[in-house]
Structure formats: structure tokens, C-alpha cells
């Protein structure tokens, strides 16, 4: 038995428009679409801190003028309004949901990421507080250590429209918040969206690193990029827990999709020294894939009105 779409998957971002990369296009069938992305700068406090960071959050857009039933698509009208009437620096709101994205990188390796799919866009008054947050229902599968020793990185999956199962990436939380949550439990999460640059000064003096004292130590400034979702204390969804078999089937489906993705990447790699007459041929080097056992697509997700349940 397969899982049905989970009830909650939303995000909202309020901030100033920093980039606008939207364009109209026409597909092979001659049908028009609007695609691209916008970047909103939201100045928000980090999780568990009063420190504020400039979060540059990229939101993807893909809409067609009409729904499958032939009605005007209000989501298209909202995106078109951004393209035509929003200016860089405008205070705005963007809302939508999170989906999974996979693609082949320039190095030939499989890459995965969260995709923030923008559905609704509005102007906002300058006095409206910035925010970057969301809510999502997931099945919690386990955890592993994060960079911060007091935090953990969560392994979870969610179920979207038409029963599409996908994982949520780069999801971290306080270790204490998940200490009492059992694996294979469906939980509701509130999360913040963090995407900022952290500038760190480090001592680059060789003598100081080996325990010797030396004056005029050289300081090296490095930029460390943070791109994650930070989840707050989970709420167990009572009366709507998946069965053990449903979870096993979901994980199996994700692993099978991951294999398809890896095979597609391998087949897309150019063959080297294909002429059989050449001597001392070297076997084609296989691209090492990420060890994460979850994936859902063998190519980037195509977003259209088919994903909208109306």
C-alpha cells in the first residue's frame, strides 16, 4: 500500500527583491510558459540566536498561462506580475512548497538539492518584518552528526502530490529536540531557511599550529557558506502514522530511483578511447556517486500546473 500526499508542505519568505531572472518561453508544442527564479534577501535571526544574517534565498518559478482544464492560471498571473511590475529592492512576499531536485553536475556527478517552488508573490509594506520559514510533514528515519556538536542532520522523507516520495535535504536540528523521537515516526516540523555567508578569521601561522609561540601571526579570512533548513521541536502527528510496510516500500522506491539516477549519469559520460585498435587502453573510470541512499528523479523535476491539484 502506498502513502498518500502529506497534508503540510509550505514556506514563506519576506524580504527585498535582490535578483529577478524570469523569462517567457515556448515549448515544443507551441505552448507558452514563464520560468526562472528570483532571489529575496531576508534579514533574519539564526536559529536559537539573536544574531541576524542576510539570507539570500533563491526561489524557482515555472508556470503556464492556463490550467489543464483551460482556465486562467492565477499562479501564472502572480509570477507574470513579478516579471513586469516588481523592481529590485521592492519589499515582497513569496510563498510555495519544497520539492526535491537532482541533476548532473559539470563534473559528471549526481547532484541533489532542495527546490523552493514559488507559487504566490505579493508586494509588502516596508514595515513588514523579514522572515524565511516553513512547515512540513515528514517521516523521520534517523540522524547523523552535524558540524555543530549540539546539532544533528536529519534523514527524512515527505510525500507530495500524486504520491511522489522525496527526501528533504540539509535539514538540521538541535540534538536535544530529537532525543526522544523514535525512528519511522511521522512528525510535523516548523523550520527556518538559512542561506548566508559566514566570514571567519583563522590563525594561519605554522608555529602556532604546532604549539610554539611566535609574534606577528598571520590571520586568514575565509568565507564559509551555510545553506540549510533548521527544524524546531517536532510534533508527532497522532492518529496518522504510516505502517512499517509503507515506510519500507517508500525507502525502497527512493533507493530504486537513486539507482536510476546513477545509471543515467553513467550513461551520459563520454566514453574514452573508443577505438578498439588502440593499445594500452584504460578502462573507463566510473564516477563515484554520493552514498546517500535516497533520490527521486533521474533529472531535475519539471514543474508545471500538473503539480497543482486543481
Amino acid at each position: 500500500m502506498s502513502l498518500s500526499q502529506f497534508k503540510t508542505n509550505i514556506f514563506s519568505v519576506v524580504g527585498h527583491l535582490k535578483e529577478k531572472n524570469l523569462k517567457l518561453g515556448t515549448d515544443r508544442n507551441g505552448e507558452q510558459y514563464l520560468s526562472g527564479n528570483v532571489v529575496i534577501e531576508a534579514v533574519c535571526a539564526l536559529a536559537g540566536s539573536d544574531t541576524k544574517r542576510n539570507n539570500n534565498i533563491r526561489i524557482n518559478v515555472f508556470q503556464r498561462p492556463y490550467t489543464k482544464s483551460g482556465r486562467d492560471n492565477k499562479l501564472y498571473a502572480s509570477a507574470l506580475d513579478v516579471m513586469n511590475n516588481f523592481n529590485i529592492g521592492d519589499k515582497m512576499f513569496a510563498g510555495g512548497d519544497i520539492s526535491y531536485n537532482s541533476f548532473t553536475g559539470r563534473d559528471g556527478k549526481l547532484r541533489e538539492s532542495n527546490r523552493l517552488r514559488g507559487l504566490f508573490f505579493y508586494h509588502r509594506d516596508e514595515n513588514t518584518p523579514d522572515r524565511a520559514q516553513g512547515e512540513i510533514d515528514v517521516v523521520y528515519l534517523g540522524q547523523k552528526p552535524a558540524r555543530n556538536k549540539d546539532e544533528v542532520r536529519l534523514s527524512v522523507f515527505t510525500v507530495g502530490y500524486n504520491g511522489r516520495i522525496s527526501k528533504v535535504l540539509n535539514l538540521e536540528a538541535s540534538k536535544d529536540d530529537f532525543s526522544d523521537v523514535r525512528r519511522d515516526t511521522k512528525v510535523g516540523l516548523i523550520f527556518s531557511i538559512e542561506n548566508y555567508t559566514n566570514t571567519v578569521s583563522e590563525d594561519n601561522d605554522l608555529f602556532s599550529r604546532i604549539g610554539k609561540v611566535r609574534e606577528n601571526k598571520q590571520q586568514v579570512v575565509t568565507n564559509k557558506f551555510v545553506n540549510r533548513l533548521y527544524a524546531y521541536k517536532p510534533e508527532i502527528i497522532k492518529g496518522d502514522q504510516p505502517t512499517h510496510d509503507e515506510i519500507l516500500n517508500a525507502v525502497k522506491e527512493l533507493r530504486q530511483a537513486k539507482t536510476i539516477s546513477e545509471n543515467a549519469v553513467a550513461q551520459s559520460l563520454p566514453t574514452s578511447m573508443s577505438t578498439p585498435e588502440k593499445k594500452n587502453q584504460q578502462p573507463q573510470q566510473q564516477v563515484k556517486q554520493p552514498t546517500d541512499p535516497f533520490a527521486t528523479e533521474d533529472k531535475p523535476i519539471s514543474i508545471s500546473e500538473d503539480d497543482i491539484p486543481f
Side-chain angles (χ1 to χ4, degrees):
M1 182 176 180
S2 60
L3 292 167
S4 301
Q5 180 179 2
F6 288 176
K7 181 179 179 180
T8 304
N9 180 358
I10 58 173
F11 76 85
S12 62
V13 176
V14 175
H16 290 93
L17 180 60
K18 188 173 183 178
E19 294 182 23
K20 182 174 66 172
N21 310 296
L22 300 172
K23 63 179 181 179
L24 296 174
T26 305
D27 64 18
R28 298 177 183 177
N29 299 322
E31 296 181 358
Q32 191 179 41
Y33 62 85
L34 188 156
S35 67
N37 60 77
V38 297
V39 176
I40 298 177
E41 185 175 64
V43 183
C44 304
L46 301 181
S49 170
D50 293 330
T51 303
K52 290 188 175 182
R53 297 286 186 181
N54 290 15
N55 294 281
N56 293 309
I57 300 170
R58 189 174 301 274
I59 299 169
N60 290 272
V61 181
F62 187 100
Q63 293 295 338
R64 297 185 185 275
Y66 305 102
T67 65
K68 295 180 69 173
S69 63
R71 294 181 296 172
D72 289 340
N73 183 3
K74 295 181 180 179
L75 304 181
Y76 174 84
S78 181
L80 187 64
D81 186 36
V82 175
M83 188 175 75
N84 293 333
N85 301 317
F86 283 50
N87 298 313
I88 302 300
D90 284 0
K91 193 69 173 281
M92 65 175 294
F93 162 92
D97 60 25
I98 294 181
S99 60
Y100 169 83
N101 180 40
S102 68
F103 59 95
T104 304
R106 293 182 179 179
D107 57 0
K109 295 183 179 180
L110 181 68
R111 302 298 185 190
E112 302 171 287
S113 66
N114 293 320
R115 169 177 283 160
L116 300 180
R117 181 177 65 162
L119 302 175
F120 310 100
F121 304 92
Y122 309 105
H123 272 111
R124 281 291 181 258
D125 185 88
E126 278 293 332
N127 295 325
T128 305
D130 287 9
R131 72 170 181 265
Q133 60 191 38
E135 299 179 37
I136 191 169
D137 294 343
V138 300
V139 172
Y140 168 66
L141 299 173
Q143 60 180 249
K144 59 183 179 181
R147 290 184 179 181
N148 188 326
K149 66 179 181 179
D150 296 323
E151 298 175 349
V152 291
R153 177 157 290 196
L154 308 177
S155 294
V156 304
F157 72 81
T158 189
V159 183
Y161 179 61
N162 203 26
R164 182 165 59 203
I165 299 172
S166 62
K167 60 181 176 180
V168 182
L169 301 167
N170 302 329
L171 180 64
E172 298 183 346
S174 167
K175 184 185 297 184
D176 293 338
D177 284 349
F178 276 79
S179 60
D180 297 329
V181 180
R182 298 179 60 183
R183 296 180 59 178
D184 299 346
T185 300
K186 185 178 179 181
V187 296
L189 301 177
I190 297 175
F191 62 87
S192 60
I193 306 170
E194 298 181 0
N195 189 2
Y196 63 89
T197 303
N198 190 23
T199 302
V200 180
S201 296
E202 297 177 332
D203 184 8
N204 195 39
D205 183 80
L206 175 62
F207 283 84
S208 66
R209 293 202 299 271
I210 61 177
K212 296 183 179 180
V213 178
R214 183 176 178 179
E215 297 180 355
N216 301 322
K217 296 178 182 179
Q218 182 180 4
Q219 292 291 317
V220 176
V221 177
T222 58
N223 290 327
K224 296 185 178 180
F225 299 96
V226 176
N227 182 8
R228 69 175 185 174
L229 307 177
Y230 190 89
Y232 298 91
K233 193 170 182 61
E235 179 181 349
I236 297 176
I237 301 175
K238 298 180 179 179
D240 189 24
Q241 291 295 317
T243 66
H244 179 67
D245 287 342
E246 287 175 334
I247 294 176
L248 287 179
N249 290 335
V251 173
K252 181 179 179 180
E253 180 179 334
L254 294 172
R255 287 174 174 166
Q256 289 175 339
K258 174 75 177 220
T259 300
I260 294 174
S261 299
E262 291 176 341
N263 291 339
V265 170
Q267 291 174 6
S268 68
L269 294 177
T271 56
S272 60
M273 304 179 68
S274 57
T275 306
E277 291 77 13
K278 292 188 178 181
K279 297 181 179 181
N280 300 322
Q281 291 184 359
Q282 298 295 325
Q284 182 177 347
Q285 183 177 2
Q286 294 184 348
V287 177
K288 184 179 180 181
Q289 301 300 338
T291 57
D292 194 321
F294 304 102
T296 59
E297 297 290 344
D298 60 348
K299 58 183 179 179
I301 293 173
S302 176
I303 301 176
S304 70
E305 79 278 6
D306 293 344
D307 291 322
I308 310 301
F310 57 82

